[in-house]
Amino acid sequence: MSLTLPSAPLYDALALRYEEHFAAPHRLAYDTLAWDLCIGWLPEPPANVVDVGCGIGRWAKRLTGLGYSVLGIEPAPLMARRARERMANDKEFRLLESRVEEVDLPAGTNDAVVAIGSLQYTDEPADAVARMAGWLRPGGVLAVLVDSLAALILELVKDGRIEEANERARERRGVWTEGGFSADLHLMDTAQLAELCGDAGLEVVGCHGLLVGTSLLGRTRVVERLEADFAGQLEEERSAALQPDLADLGKQLFVVARMPAR
Ligand SMILES: C[S@@+](CC[C@H](N)C(=O)[O-])C[C@H]1O[C@@H](n2cnc3c(N)ncnc32)[C@H](O)[C@@H]1O
């Protein structure tokens, strides 16, 4: 079943306060974990990275700061405008204002592609993974972060919303409502991500669940813990994120796959 509620209006409504949005403890925590894991997998700079769904350029800015050249792809007009403004003086950043589905890049030329929170909004994730994989050189890496199907279902069951949990499990779709806008999204698990990567000719090298604690304690309790001791809770989550068999319990899934060297 395809998506029906486009995400661009929701992200545009968030664009002006996107840094603030990511300062919330749980988002800051999963983003920190994903960044630290990702940096370990990227080839050494200088190297070129495609940032799919780059938003306002949060990751792009950090990547160019480390010496990477970044091509951002972003379809939400206000997010794209903010990325342009924030990176106006950065010669290592270029932006295509487009959905990933509509971008054609030369095959086999990029060192890395990162898709942090964007794959789940694409029409057909299998096609998007295949497209992104096609842009990688042999040995290049694809890193994707998506919301976890299992973690959402557990959260709904914990809240007593059993019918909704069942519907989400059956349809593998979620709806995110924020600031009066709603966007629907694909909900995935690690087996599906591994299958999409395998079908695209990639080999999964990293499989991580971010904020596994939310599946055990609930999000409110994890946020309380992060507020009380951010560094301590983050370290616990970092250990859990290193256990691939726990990955589906993470609120977010972070998967890294490599194009085999020829
Ligand atoms: C969760 S946000 C993450 C933004 C950015 N990666 C970050 O971490 O700050 C997801 C982003 O994906 C973008 N997006 C949605 N659908 C997309 C598509 N089909 N192709 C590329 N990007 C898309 C949204 O506009 C939004 O900016």
Side-chain angles (χ1 to χ4, degrees), residues 7-8 11 18 22 30-31 51-59 73-76 79 98-101 115-123 176:
S7 66
Y11 278 107
Y18 207 58
F22 260 93
Y30 85 66
D31 193 60
D51 184 352
V52 172
C54 68
I56 64 168
R58 289 179 329 108
W59 276 45
I73 296 173
E74 174 53 48
M79 295 290 267
S98 179
R99 294 165 59 79
V100 65
E101 293 91 327
I116 306 304
S118 54
L119 178 65
Q120 60 204 17
Y121 298 113
T122 61
D123 291 335
W176 183 35

Side-chain angles (χ1 to χ4, degrees), residues 40-139:
W41 288 111
L42 291 183
E44 291 286 316
N48 62 325
V49 180
V50 183
D51 184 352
V52 172
C54 68
I56 64 168
R58 289 179 329 108
W59 276 45
K61 202 176 178 67
R62 282 185 263 174
L63 288 166
T64 61
L66 291 177
Y68 293 98
S69 293
V70 178
L71 173 65
I73 296 173
E74 174 53 48
L78 293 182
M79 295 290 267
R81 187 198 296 173
R82 283 217 60 216
R84 271 204 192 89
E85 287 167 0
R86 293 172 84 242
M87 311 283 282
N89 297 322
D90 193 331
K91 292 190 180 60
E92 294 303 325
F93 179 69
R94 290 177 301 133
L95 181 70
L96 293 176
E97 192 173 325
S98 179
R99 294 165 59 79
V100 65
E101 293 91 327
E102 283 142 23
V103 174
D104 283 317
L105 299 179
T109 54
N110 289 281
D111 298 305
V113 178
V114 298
I116 306 304
S118 54
L119 178 65
Q120 60 204 17
Y121 298 113
T122 61
D123 291 335
E124 181 41 73
D127 293 346
V129 169
R131 178 172 292 261
M132 296 188 287
W135 298 337
L136 291 172
R137 65 159 168 78

Side-chain angles (χ1 to χ4, degrees), residues 208-219:
H208 309 280
L210 310 179
L211 302 193
V212 164
T214 54
S215 289
L216 310 170
L217 306 167
R219 192 167 77 180

